[in-house]
Coordinates of all heavy atoms in Angstrom, one line a residue:
L1 N 126.1 -74.7 -52.1 CA 126.4 -75.7 -53.1 C 127.8 -76.3 -53.0 O 128.1 -77.4 -53.0 CB 126.2 -75.2 -54.5 CG 124.8 -75.4 -55.2 CD1 124.8 -74.7 -56.5 CD2 124.4 -76.9 -55.2
E2 N 128.8 -75.3 -52.8 CA 130.2 -75.7 -52.7 C 130.4 -76.6 -51.5 O 131.1 -77.5 -51.4 CB 131.1 -74.5 -52.6 CG 131.2 -73.7 -53.9 CD 132.0 -74.5 -55.0 OE1 133.0 -75.2 -54.6 OE2 131.6 -74.6 -56.1
A3 N 129.7 -76.2 -50.4 CA 129.8 -76.9 -49.1 C 129.2 -78.3 -49.3 O 129.8 -79.3 -48.8 CB 129.2 -76.2 -48.0
I4 N 128.0 -78.4 -49.9 CA 127.5 -79.8 -50.1 C 128.4 -80.6 -50.9 O 128.6 -81.8 -50.6 CB 126.1 -79.6 -50.8 CG1 125.1 -78.8 -49.9 CG2 125.5 -81.0 -51.2 CD1 123.9 -78.4 -50.7
R5 N 128.9 -80.1 -52.0 CA 129.8 -80.9 -52.9 C 131.0 -81.4 -52.1 O 131.5 -82.5 -52.4 CB 130.3 -80.0 -54.0 CG 131.0 -80.6 -55.1 CD 131.2 -79.8 -56.3 NE 129.9 -79.4 -57.0 CZ 129.5 -78.2 -57.1 NH1 130.1 -77.2 -56.5 NH2 128.3 -77.9 -57.7
L6 N 131.5 -80.6 -51.2 CA 132.7 -80.9 -50.4 C 132.4 -82.3 -49.6 O 133.3 -83.2 -49.6 CB 133.0 -79.8 -49.4 CG 134.4 -79.8 -48.7 CD1 135.5 -79.6 -49.7 CD2 134.3 -78.7 -47.6
Y7 N 131.3 -82.4 -49.1 CA 130.9 -83.7 -48.4 C 130.4 -84.8 -49.3 O 130.7 -85.9 -49.1 CB 129.9 -83.3 -47.3 CG 130.4 -82.6 -46.1 CD1 130.2 -81.2 -46.0 CD2 131.3 -83.2 -45.2 CE1 130.7 -80.5 -44.9 CE2 131.8 -82.5 -44.1 CZ 131.5 -81.1 -44.0 OH 132.0 -80.4 -42.9
A8 N 129.6 -84.5 -50.2 CA 129.1 -85.4 -51.2 C 130.2 -86.2 -51.9 O 130.2 -87.4 -52.1 CB 128.1 -84.8 -52.2
N9 N 131.3 -85.4 -52.2 CA 132.4 -86.0 -52.9 C 133.2 -87.0 -52.1 O 134.1 -87.7 -52.5 CB 133.4 -84.9 -53.4 CG 132.9 -84.2 -54.6 OD1 131.9 -84.6 -55.2 ND2 133.5 -83.0 -55.0
K10 N 132.9 -87.0 -50.7 CA 133.6 -88.0 -49.9 C 132.8 -89.2 -49.8 O 133.1 -90.1 -49.0 CB 133.8 -87.4 -48.5 CG 134.8 -86.2 -48.4 CD 134.9 -85.7 -47.1 CE 135.8 -84.5 -47.0 NZ 137.2 -84.8 -47.3
G11 N 131.7 -89.3 -50.5 CA 130.8 -90.5 -50.6 C 129.7 -90.5 -49.5 O 129.0 -91.5 -49.3
I12 N 129.6 -89.4 -48.8 CA 128.5 -89.3 -47.7 C 127.2 -89.2 -48.4 O 127.0 -88.5 -49.3 CB 128.7 -88.1 -46.8 CG1 130.1 -88.2 -46.0 CG2 127.6 -87.9 -45.8 CD1 130.5 -87.1 -45.3
P13 N 126.2 -90.1 -48.1 CA 124.9 -90.1 -48.7 C 124.2 -88.7 -48.6 O 124.3 -88.1 -47.5 CB 124.2 -91.2 -48.0 CG 125.2 -92.0 -47.4 CD 126.3 -91.2 -47.0
I14 N 123.6 -88.3 -49.7 CA 122.9 -87.0 -49.7 C 121.8 -87.1 -48.7 O 121.5 -86.0 -48.0 CB 122.3 -86.8 -51.1 CG1 123.4 -86.4 -52.1 CG2 121.3 -85.6 -51.0 CD1 124.1 -85.1 -51.7
D15 N 121.2 -88.2 -48.4 CA 120.1 -88.2 -47.3 C 120.7 -87.9 -46.0 O 120.0 -87.6 -45.1 CB 119.5 -89.7 -47.3 CG 118.5 -89.9 -48.4 OD1 118.2 -88.9 -49.1 OD2 118.2 -91.0 -48.7
N16 N 122.0 -88.1 -45.8 CA 122.6 -87.8 -44.5 C 123.1 -86.4 -44.3 O 123.7 -86.0 -43.4 CB 123.8 -88.7 -44.2 CG 123.4 -90.1 -44.1 OD1 122.2 -90.5 -44.2 ND2 124.3 -91.0 -43.7
I17 N 123.0 -85.5 -45.4 CA 123.4 -84.2 -45.4 C 122.2 -83.3 -45.5 O 121.3 -83.4 -46.3 CB 124.3 -83.9 -46.7 CG1 125.5 -84.8 -46.7 CG2 124.8 -82.4 -46.6 CD1 126.4 -84.7 -48.0
K18 N 122.2 -82.3 -44.6 CA 121.1 -81.4 -44.5 C 121.6 -80.0 -44.5 O 122.6 -79.6 -43.9 CB 120.2 -81.6 -43.2 CG 119.5 -82.9 -43.2 CD 118.5 -83.1 -42.1 CE 117.9 -84.5 -42.0 NZ 117.1 -84.7 -43.3
V19 N 120.8 -79.1 -45.2 CA 121.1 -77.6 -45.2 C 120.2 -77.0 -44.2 O 118.9 -77.2 -44.2 CB 120.9 -77.0 -46.6 CG1 120.9 -75.5 -46.5 CG2 122.0 -77.5 -47.6
I20 N 120.7 -76.2 -43.3 CA 120.0 -75.6 -42.2 C 120.1 -74.0 -42.4 O 121.3 -73.6 -42.1 CB 120.3 -76.0 -40.8 CG1 120.2 -77.6 -40.7 CG2 119.3 -75.4 -39.8 CD1 120.7 -78.1 -39.4
C21 N 119.1 -73.4 -42.6 CA 119.2 -71.9 -42.8 C 117.9 -71.2 -42.1 O 117.0 -72.0 -41.8 CB 119.3 -71.5 -44.2 SG 117.9 -71.9 -45.2
I22 N 118.0 -70.0 -41.8 CA 116.9 -69.2 -41.2 C 116.0 -68.7 -42.2 O 114.7 -68.8 -42.1 CB 117.4 -68.2 -40.2 CG1 118.2 -68.9 -39.1 CG2 116.3 -67.4 -39.6 CD1 118.9 -67.9 -38.1
I23 N 116.5 -68.0 -43.2 CA 115.7 -67.4 -44.3 C 116.3 -67.9 -45.6 O 117.5 -67.9 -45.8 CB 115.7 -65.9 -44.2 CG1 115.3 -65.4 -42.8 CG2 114.9 -65.3 -45.4 CD1 115.4 -63.9 -42.6
A24 N 115.4 -68.3 -46.5 CA 115.7 -68.8 -47.8 C 115.1 -68.1 -48.9 O 113.9 -67.6 -48.7 CB 115.5 -70.3 -48.0
A25 N 115.8 -67.9 -50.0 CA 115.2 -67.3 -51.2 C 114.8 -68.5 -52.2 O 115.5 -69.4 -52.2 CB 116.1 -66.4 -51.9
P26 N 113.7 -68.3 -52.9 CA 113.3 -69.4 -53.8 C 114.4 -69.6 -54.9 O 114.6 -70.8 -55.2 CB 112.1 -68.8 -54.5 CG 111.4 -67.8 -53.6 CD 112.7 -67.2 -52.9
E27 N 115.1 -68.6 -55.3 CA 116.2 -68.8 -56.3 C 117.2 -69.7 -55.8 O 117.8 -70.5 -56.5 CB 116.8 -67.5 -56.8 CG 115.8 -66.5 -57.5 CD 115.1 -65.6 -56.5 OE1 114.9 -65.9 -55.3 OE2 114.7 -64.4 -56.9
G28 N 117.6 -69.5 -54.5 CA 118.7 -70.3 -53.9 C 118.3 -71.7 -53.7 O 119.0 -72.7 -54.0
I29 N 117.0 -72.0 -53.3 CA 116.4 -73.3 -53.1 C 116.5 -74.0 -54.5 O 117.0 -75.2 -54.7 CB 115.0 -73.3 -52.6 CG1 115.0 -72.8 -51.1 CG2 114.4 -74.7 -52.6 CD1 113.7 -72.5 -50.5
E30 N 116.0 -73.4 -55.6 CA 116.0 -73.9 -56.9 C 117.4 -74.2 -57.4 O 117.6 -75.3 -58.0 CB 115.3 -73.1 -57.8 CG 113.8 -72.9 -57.6 CD 113.1 -71.9 -58.3 OE1 113.8 -71.2 -59.2 OE2 111.9 -71.6 -58.1
N31 N 118.4 -73.4 -57.1 CA 119.8 -73.6 -57.5 C 120.3 -74.9 -56.8 O 121.0 -75.7 -57.5 CB 120.6 -72.4 -57.1 CG 122.0 -72.5 -57.6 OD1 122.3 -73.2 -58.6 ND2 122.9 -71.6 -57.0
I32 N 120.1 -75.1 -55.5 CA 120.5 -76.3 -54.8 C 119.8 -77.5 -55.3 O 120.4 -78.6 -55.6 CB 120.3 -76.1 -53.3 CG1 121.4 -75.1 -52.7 CG2 120.5 -77.4 -52.6 CD1 121.2 -74.8 -51.3
Q33 N 118.5 -77.4 -55.5 CA 117.8 -78.6 -56.0 C 118.1 -79.0 -57.4 O 118.0 -80.1 -57.8 CB 116.3 -78.3 -55.8 CG 115.8 -78.3 -54.4 CD 114.3 -78.2 -54.3 OE1 113.6 -77.7 -55.2 NE2 113.8 -78.5 -53.1
K34 N 118.6 -78.0 -58.2 CA 119.0 -78.4 -59.6 C 120.2 -79.3 -59.6 O 120.3 -80.2 -60.4 CB 119.3 -77.1 -60.3 CG 119.8 -77.3 -61.7 CD 119.9 -76.0 -62.5 CE 121.1 -75.1 -61.9 NZ 121.2 -73.8 -62.6
H35 N 121.1 -79.2 -58.6 CA 122.2 -80.0 -58.5 C 122.1 -81.1 -57.6 O 122.6 -82.3 -57.8 CB 123.4 -79.2 -58.1 CG 123.8 -78.1 -59.0 ND1 123.2 -76.8 -59.0 CD2 124.7 -78.0 -60.0 CE1 123.7 -76.1 -60.0 NE2 124.7 -76.8 -60.6
Y36 N 121.3 -81.0 -56.5 CA 121.1 -82.0 -55.4 C 119.6 -82.1 -55.2 O 119.2 -81.6 -54.1 CB 121.9 -81.7 -54.2 CG 123.4 -81.8 -54.5 CD1 124.2 -80.6 -54.6 CD2 124.1 -83.0 -54.6 CE1 125.5 -80.6 -54.8 CE2 125.5 -83.1 -54.7 CZ 126.2 -81.9 -54.9 OH 127.6 -81.8 -55.1
P37 N 118.8 -82.7 -56.0 CA 117.3 -82.7 -55.9 C 116.8 -83.4 -54.6 O 115.8 -83.1 -54.2 CB 116.9 -83.3 -57.1 CG 118.0 -84.2 -57.7 CD 119.2 -83.4 -57.3
D38 N 117.7 -84.3 -54.1 CA 117.2 -85.1 -52.9 C 117.7 -84.6 -51.6 O 117.4 -85.2 -50.6 CB 117.6 -86.6 -53.1 CG 117.1 -87.2 -54.3 OD1 115.9 -86.9 -54.6 OD2 117.8 -88.0 -54.9
I39 N 118.4 -83.5 -51.5 CA 118.9 -82.9 -50.3 C 117.8 -82.2 -49.5 O 116.8 -81.6 -50.2 CB 120.1 -82.0 -50.4 CG1 120.8 -81.9 -49.1 CG2 119.7 -80.6 -50.9 CD1 122.3 -81.4 -49.2
E40 N 117.7 -82.3 -48.2 CA 116.7 -81.7 -47.4 C 117.1 -80.4 -47.0 O 118.3 -80.2 -46.5 CB 116.2 -82.5 -46.3 CG 115.0 -81.9 -45.5 CD 114.5 -82.8 -44.4 OE1 115.3 -83.4 -43.8 OE2 113.3 -82.8 -44.3
I41 N 116.3 -79.3 -47.1 CA 116.6 -78.0 -46.7 C 115.7 -77.6 -45.5 O 114.4 -77.8 -45.6 CB 116.4 -77.0 -47.8 CG1 117.4 -77.3 -48.9 CG2 116.6 -75.6 -47.3 CD1 117.2 -76.5 -50.2
I42 N 116.2 -77.3 -44.3 CA 115.3 -76.9 -43.2 C 115.5 -75.4 -43.0 O 116.7 -74.9 -42.8 CB 115.8 -77.7 -42.0 CG1 115.6 -79.2 -42.2 CG2 114.9 -77.2 -40.7 CD1 116.2 -80.1 -41.1
T43 N 114.4 -74.7 -43.0 CA 114.4 -73.3 -42.9 C 113.2 -72.7 -42.0 O 112.3 -73.5 -41.7 CB 114.4 -72.6 -44.2 OG1 114.6 -71.2 -44.1 CG2 113.1 -72.9 -45.0
A44 N 113.3 -71.5 -41.5 CA 112.3 -70.8 -40.8 C 111.4 -70.1 -41.7 O 110.2 -69.8 -41.3 CB 112.8 -70.0 -39.7
A45 N 111.9 -69.7 -42.9 CA 111.0 -68.9 -43.8 C 111.6 -68.9 -45.3 O 112.7 -69.0 -45.5 CB 111.0 -67.4 -43.3
I46 N 110.6 -68.9 -46.2 CA 111.0 -68.8 -47.6 C 110.5 -67.4 -48.0 O 109.3 -67.1 -48.0 CB 110.3 -69.8 -48.5 CG1 110.8 -71.3 -48.1 CG2 110.7 -69.6 -50.0 CD1 110.1 -72.4 -48.8
D47 N 111.4 -66.5 -48.3 CA 111.0 -65.1 -48.7 C 110.7 -65.0 -50.1 O 110.6 -66.0 -50.9 CB 112.1 -64.2 -48.3 CG 112.1 -63.9 -46.8 OD1 111.3 -64.5 -46.1 OD2 112.8 -62.9 -46.4

């Protein structure tokens, strides 16, 4: 979230920012989507 905010605050469109992770927890996904609902998360697994 801190990293996304760093770039979003520069005016970069959220559609142009992607989160790439290997393993994701549902709680983390929900936390990010609560603040940035339109950002895309690319992952190999949701645990």
